[in-house]
Amino acid sequence: MSPRRSPAPSPRDVVARSHGAALLAVEGLTVTYRAATRLTAVRDVSFALKPREAYGLVGESGCGKSTIALSIMRYLPANGRVAAGQILFAGQDLLGLSGSDLQRLRGAQIAMVYQDPGAALNPSMTVGDQVAEVFTAHRAFGRDRARAATETMFESVRMPGAADVAKRYPHQLSGGMQQRAIIAMALAANPALLILDEPTTGLDATVEAAVLDLIAAIRNEFDAAILLISHNLAVVSRVCDRVGVLYAGELVEEGPTGELFTSPHHPYTAGLLSCVPRFGMRKETTPLVPIAGRMPRLGEAFPGCSFAPRCPLVRERCRQEPPPLFATTSGRQARCFFWPEVPSLHVSRQPARMEVPGVPAATEPSERAALLEVRDATVHFGRPSHPVRAVNDLSFTLHQAEIFGLVGESGSGKSTIARGIAGLLSLNGGTLSLDGGDISRPVEQRARAEIKRVQMVFQSPEATLNPRQTVRQMLSRTVKALTDRRGDVLQERVDELARLVHLDAALLDSVPGGLSGGQRQRVAIARAFAGDPDIVLCDEPVSNLDVSVQATILTLLANLQEQKLVSYLFISHDLSVVRYLADRVGVMYLGSLVEIGPAARVFAPPFHPYTETLLAAMPALDRPSPPIRADGSMPSAAEIPSGCPFHTRCPRMLGAQCREHVPPWQQTAGGHAYRCWISPTDLTQRQQRLWDDTIQQPEPDVAEGVA
Amino acid sequence: MDRERVPAMSGRPVSLGADLDLAEREAIAPPGGPSLATMPSARRSRLGAAARSIVRTPSAVVGLGVVIFWVLCALGWPLVVPYDPDAQDATALLALPSPAHLFGADHLGRDVLSRVLAGSREVLLLAPAATLIGLIGGIAVGLAAAYYGGWFDEILMRVMDAIMAFPFIILALLILSVMGPSARNVIIVIGLGYIPLTGRVVRAAALSVRDLDYVAAARLRGARGIEIMLTEILPNITGPIVVEATVRVGYAIFAIASLSFLGLGVPPPSANWGAMINETRLYLTINPAIVLAPTLAIGSLVVAINLVADGLRRVVRG
């Protein structure tokens, strides 16, 4: 335990000392890493934060945003080095600070919040002790005062059950609560600058919304400036005043958030905006426009503009001359020679009319034949006396050539039921019938004809391919196992599969280590299609991919589905993606379906209150979110609440009825149904009003680009 | 299933053909530097990485040097020994170290240096053989236990625990006194004794791989137990297995020496280190060199092997 020092200066003191200069000024920062050679991860980046300002750094993996944060904290790994530039904090040069000065600065004047809250908390100390430690070390409080301050701090971060939480250990808290504890630790010292590195990436949608609310609230209650680092544009737009976009280690655009995201001045930003499915886009009407080419590798050098290989506006000059940062309009910069052309490029890609949740759309009910019937499926894990009820009496039908989106947060059981359908898990109850034939058996007991009809694409590109086999070997094995093809015919099929997923034939002889994430998922998709399946279960296939790659894979999946007329069970936690792809949607909570129906109807009122909180939780670029939040976090599947499982968190809970009795299915038009005690007419009335009031309709003409 | 009956979809997603082709072209011919797709095959680069890692670690280099020295000894000792290891010289009984006998001579006048050099062959033949038996058995047990899980795993592991509960030397004593000491029996005993230990390591490594998606994908193509264990799991756990095998060889050498010391190893007069220590320990106070020589031989070889194992462990981990 460090001895008591003099208390750290408050943000106001820090600001006053800086004599009006920017709070944080990064100038010409260049950071290199030593791998086999010296690689430049960050190249000549400059930006500045004013006191109490919220600044966002946006970019995909490998763009250098975390490196910048670590450089500010002077916490680069052993092989990293700041090769050039300076970082000034309130006029003080951070890079030249001595060890003891740095120790006084970190945690006290600059605090950092990391992505994985579980890993950032000491597992052998209670969270109360950990927060109190900050008070005693940096603000020179005595033990009792620190304890009281800890409790106040927990209340400021809206920690549920603030009084008791202090005595608990990190593993006893949920992800959202852990992240609040970390934020409490960061704010305890009343820092002048708070750096958040992907703070909500590992969290569920509803929890993420709550943490973002908290961060927005913090800005009013504390004096800290915020540097938010994220790959998620919508999260940044929710919290930050200004945004800097990073690509290949360089700052390519900077400006106020609202303007930047409606009217970008750099082709990369425009590309990012066009390849992310935003809520309301449909594959038929508004195709995603993926960014051509591939992500640059760490330290890759370019003779001209780093974005030139992928840019739709590229000219000769771009390939030869690296563009400087141009001041485009007031307060905005863009690193592009041809930035005036970007706004029209962006506009040309926007949909003429974008649907908004709350606006009911006409749909035709599904007239297709049933392909897979899931009836009362149940999967329990663990001891029979106290099981984890992952899936409970789940029933739905998957039709031919249909994309059925299954939506829910982690712990809802969606992956579990997919594995049950595939036969990777045994069902504890219920039946699965494929075209009338019962397949409720583990895959080891299924006939080959049954196995080849149901295939799966998994979530993680890292784990989905055997690292020791080449692509050709993997595909050959699968084709051999599922079909009768042998010899040359087999190899022809392998080549055909590679073409199907647009995988270059030269990559067939690489091992997965030589493939990017997008390429690996394409191999996984090729493998799933090897035996000409009827059903492909897609378990979050794009969630672990970079944004620009997601668009490619989603479009590939959509094309394949239409081409081959297969059915997908498409699982995702991302509602925009599901809205983009799916024909019908089911919403799962704690192992049961709470709503099911055609996609347009599920996402228009009346929707189940849980669906409502999911929609409200989506941080979106073009609309504010309605203030509907689910309380707390999802209970464990080992202790499912009585009656309606959502009643403990429901913002529309009626009372004892919801607590004691399982609600019935309410049917509305077109095959849409949800389980709630509130009738469709009541729900429509309440929700329509709320969503219409808070949603702004999209501007009729987006052609307000600034030239 | 009659797909023709399915009504056509109302709209078409934009075909990605052009953009994806562009993406491919970038993948094979990037603006600068070698493409990852043209990297040498995985196996060669793993061996290369292993070699580089060992070369960078001084302790592993020393270890490797000592091991190579003893391997060369085992291969070519007849070419370098100054005396025949079994030749008894009555004039040099318990001779102290001298230019004629670098490590002295034992109670029968045999040159200790020659015996030590000759003894390396036996040790370096028996130990890897025993380790191999332990390895094969351990891999079978470990893979099966990890893959099938459940009751099978429990029972198998408890049986392994029971075997491990016996002090190894006692177990060896028991078996060898029944079967009679010989090279073959020593290999069998040590091999069997190492199956539980290796099995544990293999099981732990296999468990970390068993739940990965590519194993599930293999199940989804209808692959069964043995195929999955051998093609999906085993190739991906070679790292820990190699490290474990290396360490086991070291232990095997030590075990062989111990058994020989107790008189249960290969019968005399063959020169083996353990028996040498046993025979000459009476004379420790008179002529320490003749006891130290085999001791140092055993020690140096076992330590060297462990240093190499440490170097390999670093490759496996990173």
Side-chain angles (χ1 to χ4, degrees), chain A residues 283 287 290 292-294 297 300 367 371 400-401 419 422 424 435 443-444 451 455-456 458 460 463-469 477-478 481-482 502 504 507 511 514 519 522 527 533-534 552 555 559 562 564-565, chain B residues 1-3 5-7 9-17 19-24 26-28 30-32 34-37 42 46 147 212-214 216-217 219-222 224 227 231-232 235-236 238:
Chain A
K283 58 189 171 190
R294 55 159 185 82
R297 271 181 278 280
E300 202 170 333
E367 346 152 316
L371 178 59
Q400 281 179 23
R419 287 181 174 244
L424 295 170
D435 259 350
V443 67
E444 279 79 15
I451 292 175
Q455 287 293 310
M456 194 156 165
F458 298 92
S460 161
T464 196
L465 301 178
N466 187 331
R468 304 294 225 120
Q469 291 180 9
R477 251 186 239 277
T478 314
L482 294 178
H502 298 266
D504 190 71
L507 292 176
V511 282
Q519 286 165 337
R522 280 191 242 168
R527 181 178 60 191
D534 296 328
T552 322
T555 316
N559 285 351
E562 205 194 64
K564 299 274 177 184
L565 294 174
Chain B
M1 190 193 75
D2 188 5
R3 287 198 179 136
R5 279 193 281 119
V6 175
M9 242 157 64
S10 46
R12 285 201 69 84
V14 163
S15 165
L16 253 202
D19 291 324
L20 279 174
D21 287 343
L22 178 60
E24 292 319 315
E26 295 307 324
I28 2 170
S35 159
L36 283 174
R46 281 172 71 93
Y147 185 73
L212 292 179
D213 290 337
Y214 61 84
R219 290 176 65 198
L220 278 180
R221 65 163 189 256
R224 302 302 192 83
E227 183 188 341
T231 59
E232 307 291 330
N236 286 298
T238 52

Side-chain angles (χ1 to χ4, degrees), chain A residues 69-287:
Chain A
L70 292 175
S71 310
I72 295 174
M73 293 294 267
R74 295 236 349 239
Y75 202 51
L76 288 171
N79 62 342
R81 201 163 55 92
V82 174
Q86 50 175 353
I87 304 179
L88 296 170
F89 177 70
Q92 215 182 6
D93 177 24
L94 287 188
L95 298 174
L97 278 186
S98 69
S100 51
D101 289 333
L102 199 57
Q103 201 177 11
R104 263 196 292 272
L105 193 84
R106 282 180 185 157
Q109 295 176 49
I110 307 183
M112 192 151 165
V113 172
Y114 301 90
Q115 174 173 350
D116 185 0
L121 286 168
N122 186 332
S124 56
M125 285 170 72
T126 60
V127 290
D129 283 344
Q130 292 186 53
V131 178
E133 196 178 37
V134 181
F135 283 116
T136 52
H138 289 297
R139 291 182 62 182
F141 284 7
R143 264 187 54 188
D144 294 321
R145 197 173 165 205
R147 216 175 292 157
T150 303
E151 208 170 302
T152 320
M153 203 65 220
F154 279 149
E155 271 158 34
S156 313
V157 297
R158 323 291 198 266
M159 178 82 82
D164 305 312
V165 166
K167 295 193 216 74
R168 295 211 222 143
Y169 287 89
H171 69 271
Q172 296 172 309
L173 302 180
S174 70
M177 288 169 80
Q178 285 173 347
Q179 195 61 297
R180 285 174 207 272
I182 300 272
I183 293 176
M185 270 171 73
L187 291 172
N190 204 4
L193 173 64
L194 180 64
I195 304 180
L196 298 130
D197 189 353
E198 305 265 15
T200 57
T201 302
L203 301 174
D204 279 330
T206 49
V207 178
E208 178 181 52
V211 171
L212 289 177
D213 286 344
L214 172 64
I215 296 175
I218 282 170
R219 297 198 56 203
N220 295 330
E221 292 168 19
F222 289 85
D223 290 330
I226 292 180
L227 177 65
L228 177 65
I229 295 170
S230 181
H231 66 278
N232 187 328
L233 304 174
V235 165
V236 165
S237 76
R238 194 77 194 269
V239 172
C240 301
D241 307 318
R242 279 169 57 232
V243 167
V245 179
L246 286 169
Y247 183 80
E250 290 180 307
L251 193 68
V252 297
E253 187 170 358
E254 195 193 50
T257 318
E259 281 179 46
L260 197 140
F261 288 142
T262 44
S263 181
H265 285 172
H266 191 278
Y268 176 59
T269 320
L272 279 183
L273 291 169
S274 309
C275 73
V276 175
R278 270 179 288 160
F279 198 83
M281 292 167 93
R282 285 286 303 163
K283 58 189 171 190
E284 299 96 2
T285 53
T286 44

